Amino acid sequence: MADQPLEKRVDDLFLRMTLEEKIGQLCQMDGRIGYEEWITKKHVGSFLHVYGDLINKIQLCASKTRLGIPVLFGIDAVHGNAFVPGSTVFPSQLGMSSSWNLSLIEDMARITAREVSACGIHWTFSPVLCVSRDLRWGRVDETFGEDILLIGEMGKAMVRGYQGQKLGEPESILACAKHFAGYSETQGGRDASEADLSKRKLLSGFLPAFEAAAKSGCATFMIAYQSIDGIPCSANAWLLEEMLKGEWEFGGIAITDWNNIGRMVNEQFVCATMDEAVMKALNAGTEMAMSTPEFPDALLRCVKSGKVKTETIDRIVKKILRLKFELGLFEGIKVFSDKNVIEKTLGRDEHRQKALECALQSIVLLKNEDSILPLSDSVKRVCVIGPNADDPVAQLGDWSFHSESLDTKTDWHPGGNIVTVLGGIRNRCGTRIAVEYCKGCSIIDDGLDEIDDAAELVRGSDIAIVVLGDTLPLIGETHDRVSLDLSGKQMDLVQSVHKTGVPIITVLINSKPLSIPWLKQYSNAIIEAWNPGMEGGTAVAQVLFGDVNPSGKLTISFPLHSGQIPVYYNQIPGWHAHRYADLPDGKPLFPFGFGLSYTTYKYENISVSKNIIKPGEGLTVSIDVENTGNVDGIEIVQLYIRDLVSSVTVPIMQLKDWKRVELGQNEKKRVDFSLKPNAFSLINTELKAVIEPGFFEIMAGGSSSKEDLLSVVIEIAEV
Ligand code: GLC
């Protein structure tokens, strides 16, 4: 049959299925809590959170059913196949986004796909395309930051990496654009609470990344937990039918997040019964249900009573079967995992090397007073201090070993193949430089207090490297925060070290921006390393000692104070006084697009191809950038636009393009940007994307700060 056309094979199998078998294909259950009954009695066609021997056991069980339809396995491999021991663990999405490097992000996804598919798993619930604007939210680390253009382009790169050229390739897996949509813009940063977003706001600032993913062929979408303006996303026909499947012509599968359908009854209280919830969800465009145990029986009742049409089920089942055929599952491809393949694929050297490259490019140099970095050869004794200096679990962050998302509190500890900051510094220093270490305190105060010991150890050192940040109980779903200050006794620790007078290099191992004004003032240097993955310590050490010149730039703004949130760069104007009465400086602590280097860059001669264009015309913007220092570097040149007068309020600036430019010492290049007409468009009150005549400010430079930008004004003339 493999030589038959795909559609014929789908129809042939479909016509042999009972209604119950069809409904089973719409169900995805948690494979860790049993599978036999789900398969033999409910014909469940997909499981998640399963790896190891269980994969083959479940597939074997499915192969013995009447039609033997293979099971589709999904997992959250969101920064590498990071739940499976031995896998390559990359930096978090937020860390990776600081590289502004699309091909590197694609490489990370490709390696992840290779390791996931080797395990007999077919689907990763990645990329996250949420826009991080409320930093109290627990899942900021899973996002590509606060800018919708970056998120869209990086999301497409991940989809390319995961899905490759064809889903049938041995290494290709299904990507999943999530969480659709507006999930990160919930009240108070509270995970899964209601999002107060209008359709115009969604179309302007939250949907473009999902549209890009849909149009780039992303195979699946995950529907967000929360409600928008009173309607749960799983029951939102405007989102699922009108936009996703209608305007964007998405032909893949829309699956709910974890038990969304049950939450419509038990948390959002918009349905009195499960049958009502199933009916609302299926009739609004939901196609698969993740981890809703009551779903198969409720859907059977809904179909039999006519609340859900058989045609709806038939259309969805055919889409799911088509995906399984495209993946090659019916040819036995990627069905059973082979321990030998796993052994030689997971965590292999070339993958580790790529993880190191990712970690290096994700590091952002936030401060470097008197060029204290890179550390000079005169340094003979460094003292490494802090709770995150030698903690593999904190370093990997969420959706990895020990994170609650998968109850992976297994005995297996990733320590063996994770290079911590302390480990990286020790490896780099060898016997040439003495390295002392003291943890000092914990991220969350557990009574550990070695603050005096740490200060004592620092005395007599040339440099104190203080590694601070956050860790799992402060990160992730259900771990939103009210304060972004350093937790526990971290401030006491670093202030005690500061009193010794020894210069301080702060290294941040953290999931999200923190409000750290004291560190900005009193550290001699600050390295932002995020959750840098398994080679994070090696990367930090290579940057500290100047083996690599840091090139990362922030894709998310740092707040001066938690109460300042939201602090993202592309604000809508209109705030009286532009500051809080009790926070005179209304600016972020570190702005979007900011990042230092061991060299310096100079921008000159911004110019445009035309000063007046017509609506529908593009524009070329050029600018000179020169490396004025004595170290080779990579500068991320950014291009922003502001519509100076518009029919609706628009952001004070908006990123429209960027380029990573390699510049040798004293080298100058002229950088050209080609702006397409839609760079000048806005969503008007009729929800249409329009280009309005008028004046536009074009800005280019090294960050979103005015002082880092050169600008020119152009006009879009009335036709
Ligand atoms: C979680 C998350 C989602 C994840 C899914 C499966 O609750 O919201 O991002 O993919 O459930 O683990």
Side-chain angles (χ1 to χ4, degrees):
M1 282 295 281
D3 57 349
Q4 293 293 315
L6 175 61
E7 291 313 317
K8 183 164 179 5
R9 300 182 73 191
V10 169
D11 288 343
D12 168 68
L13 175 54
F14 169 78
L15 292 171
R16 287 184 279 142
M17 296 173 77
T18 65
L19 174 60
E20 289 78 358
E21 287 167 334
K22 292 176 186 174
I23 286 174
Q25 290 298 310
L26 277 62
C27 304
Q28 182 180 78
M29 296 298 174
D30 181 350
R32 295 167 297 172
I33 52 174
Y35 61 89
E36 269 129 339
E37 296 233 333
W38 283 126
I39 291 175
T40 55
K41 292 193 168 55
K42 300 298 177 190
H43 318 287
V44 166
S46 179
F47 288 88
L48 81 160
H49 287 339
V50 170
Y51 63 83
D53 297 344
L54 198 49
I55 290 274
N56 290 347
K57 286 179 185 163
I58 291 176
Q59 285 292 19
L60 195 59
C61 179
S63 68
K64 292 174 181 167
T65 57
R66 188 175 76 88
L67 293 171
I69 299 174
V71 161
L72 201 58
F73 287 108
I75 199 165
D76 292 276
V78 299
H79 55 108
N81 192 22
F83 282 134
V84 180
S87 296
T88 306
V89 185
F90 290 94
S92 64
Q93 262 193 216
L94 186 63
M96 277 308 290
S97 69
S98 305
S99 70
W100 297 55
N101 187 336
L102 299 181
S103 65
L104 189 61
I105 288 170
E106 183 175 340
D107 291 348
M108 167 178 119
R110 194 66 191 154
I111 289 172
T112 302
R114 184 179 299 145
E115 297 197 2
V116 166
S117 57
C119 295
I121 300 168
H122 315 106
W123 186 1
T124 178
F125 303 123
S126 168
V128 170
L129 301 182
C130 300
V131 186
S132 279
R133 303 187 345 159
D134 193 324
L135 302 174
R136 293 170 293 180
W137 182 48
R139 304 185 68 174
V140 171
D141 61 297
E142 296 180 55
T143 73
F144 286 123
E146 66 194 36
D147 179 76
I148 193 63
L149 173 70
L150 280 178
I151 294 168
E153 291 306 309
M154 292 178 177
K156 287 194 296 186
M158 293 276 263
V159 170
R160 288 193 297 271
Y162 289 138
Q163 298 187 176
Q165 296 303 317
K166 270 170 66 66
L167 290 179
E169 290 166 0
E171 296 181 352
S172 294
I173 59 175
L174 304 176
C176 183
K178 74 181 187 181
H179 307 78
F180 190 53
Y183 172 49
S184 52
E185 192 76 0
T186 52
Q187 289 167 333
R190 297 182 202 114
D191 190 72
S193 66
E194 170 132 339
D196 278 333
L197 282 166
S198 66
K199 288 181 179 176
R200 202 186 70 78
K201 279 277 173 75
L202 280 162
L203 288 165
S204 299
F206 295 84
L207 295 189
F210 286 102
E211 179 179 2
K215 292 181 174 174
S216 72
C218 186
T220 69
F221 266 51
M222 184 183 293
I223 306 165
Y225 282 131
Q226 96 289 353
S227 51
I228 300 173
D229 192 16
I231 303 172
C233 290
S234 299
N236 190 322
W238 177 77
L239 262 186
L240 300 176
E241 292 295 347
E242 195 172 328
M243 298 312 297
L244 180 60
K245 298 172 200 172
E247 282 212 20
W248 305 343
E249 297 180 336
F250 172 69
I253 296 294
I255 185 171
T256 70
D257 199 341
W258 196 281
N259 193 26
N260 283 10
I261 292 176
R263 294 175 204 275
M264 287 162 68
V265 179
N266 308 315
E267 283 183 7
Q268 293 156 330
F269 307 109
V270 292
C271 299
T273 65
M274 192 56 75
D275 288 24
E276 186 187 353
V278 168
M279 177 190 70
K280 280 187 175 178
L282 271 285
N283 292 337
T286 290
E287 294 174 320
M288 279 185 83
M290 178 193 286
S291 197
T292 299
E294 307 87 340
F295 179 75
D297 293 345
L299 181 52
L300 186 59
R301 290 191 296 270
C302 285
V303 174
K304 287 185 172 174
S305 64
K307 288 178 186 158
V308 174
K309 292 193 179 75
T310 312
E311 295 73 34
T312 303
I313 305 302
D314 293 352
R315 179 177 43 73
I316 297 170
V317 171
K318 287 182 180 176
K319 286 167 74 172
I320 294 169
L321 294 180
R322 192 171 300 116
L323 269 188
K324 292 188 174 184
F325 276 112
E326 284 180 312
L327 281 166
L329 302 190
F330 288 94
E331 275 67 58
I333 296 171
K334 297 188 279 206
V335 173
F336 293 99
S337 63
D338 174 339
K339 278 194 172 20
N340 298 326
V341 173
I342 289 175
E343 186 69 30
K344 69 183 183 192
T345 307
L346 270 57
R348 67 191 196 207
D349 281 352
E350 71 182 272
H351 295 176
R352 286 191 79 99
Q353 281 312 310
K354 189 57 75 172
L356 174 56
E357 186 184 351
C358 290
L360 284 165
Q361 292 198 28
S362 67
I363 286 175
V364 184
L365 180 61
L366 294 177
K367 182 179 181 184
N368 191 17
E369 198 169 68
D370 304 330
S371 300
I372 189 171
L373 289 179
L375 296 177
S376 76
D377 289 342
S378 64
V379 167
K380 295 302 172 215
R381 185 175 186 266
V382 299
C383 194
V384 182
I385 303 289
N388 280 357
D390 195 34
D391 183 336
V393 174
Q395 182 165 312
L396 298 187
D398 203 3
W399 299 100
S400 185
F401 310 101
H402 293 252
S403 60
E404 287 172 28
S405 9
L406 190 60
D407 318 330
T408 48
K409 293 182 178 55
T410 59
D411 297 337
W412 190 85
H413 189 283
N417 66 344
I418 310 294
V419 181
T420 62
V421 174
L422 175 63
I425 290 170
R426 282 192 167 138
N427 296 342
R428 179 64 179 67
C429 290
T431 54
R432 201 171 49 79
I433 300 174
V435 179
E436 304 290 345
Y437 164 66
C438 178
K439 182 174 180 181
C441 70
S442 299
I443 290 288
I444 295 170
D445 193 3
D446 58 1
L448 175 70
D449 185 342
E450 301 167 338
I451 292 175
D452 294 343
D453 309 333
E456 196 46 44
L457 205 57
V458 163
R459 285 188 188 87
S461 299
D462 300 312
I463 286 283
I465 298 171
V466 186
V467 190
L468 307 170
D470 59 20
T471 192
L472 291 183
L474 296 171
I475 309 173
E477 203 171 328
T478 73
H479 294 152
D480 313 315
R481 292 181 65 175
V482 288
S483 164
L484 297 176
D485 295 344
L486 287 173
S487 57
K489 294 197 171 86
Q490 296 182 80
M491 277 307 293
D492 299 335
L493 176 64
V494 70
Q495 287 172 341
S496 170
V497 169
H498 180 255
K499 287 192 184 103
T500 67
V502 173
I504 293 175
I505 313 292
T506 295
V507 175
L508 293 171
I509 297 290
N510 51 319
S511 67
K512 63 167 72 168
L514 300 172
S515 47
I516 48 169
W518 189 93
L519 288 178
K520 179 176 179 181
Q521 184 167 356
Y522 294 104
S523 301
N524 297 77
I526 302 175
I527 284 179
E528 173 55 78
W530 306 112
N531 294 115
M534 67 197 305
E535 283 289 351
T538 308
V540 167
Q542 290 189 3
V543 167
L544 282 169
F545 288 92
D547 306 334
V548 172
N549 180 8
S551 59
K553 298 228 175 185
L554 294 179
T555 57
I556 194 162
S557 308
F558 272 64
L560 181 57
H561 187 287
S562 307
Q564 193 182 18
I565 291 166
V567 73
Y568 52 84
Y569 83 98
N570 49 345
Q571 298 276 336
I572 301 290
W575 183 15
H576 285 180
H578 298 276
R579 57 160 181 70
Y580 292 95
D582 49 354
L583 188 71
D585 182 351
K587 293 199 190 75
L589 188 68
F590 295 107
F592 175 85
F594 177 77
L596 299 174
S597 167
Y598 290 153
T599 187
T600 48
Y601 299 102
K602 184 168 75 172
Y603 286 88
E604 289 178 316
N605 308 324
I606 186 168
S607 69
V608 288
S609 50
K610 282 180 152 181
N611 290 312
I612 300 178
I613 60 175
K614 298 188 186 68
E617 256 194 285
L619 184 76
T620 300
V621 184
S622 304
I623 190 166
D624 288 342
V625 55
E626 180 181 1
N627 177 343
T628 50
N630 53 11
V631 180
D632 296 351
I634 293 173
E635 170 69 340
I636 296 168
V637 184
Q638 301 149 50
L639 181 72
Y640 298 89
I641 278 183
R642 179 176 188 174
D643 186 344
L644 293 175
V645 178
S646 46
S647 62
V648 291
T649 56
V650 294
I652 55 171
M653 66 193 307
Q654 190 68 50
L655 182 74
K656 292 296 179 181
D657 200 353
W658 76 94
K659 291 217 188 320
R660 298 180 78 254
V661 183
E662 291 191 18
L663 288 164
Q665 305 168 35
N666 306 311
E667 183 181 9
K668 180 195 276 192
K669 286 182 180 173
R670 185 142 185 87
V671 181
D672 298 319
F673 297 97
S674 294
L675 284 175
K676 295 190 175 70
N678 66 359
F680 302 95
S681 69
L682 59 79
I683 303 292
N684 67 11
T685 51
E686 282 74 55
L687 305 187
K688 295 292 176 225
V690 296
I691 297 170
E692 298 176 340
F695 293 92
F696 291 77
E697 185 178 14
I698 314 289
M699 298 157 271
S703 93
S704 63
S705 292
K706 279 284 183 210
E707 54 265 28
D708 290 334
L709 294 168
L710 299 180
S711 69
V712 60
V713 175
I714 65 121
E715 181 183 4
I716 294 185
E718 298 270 1
V719 283

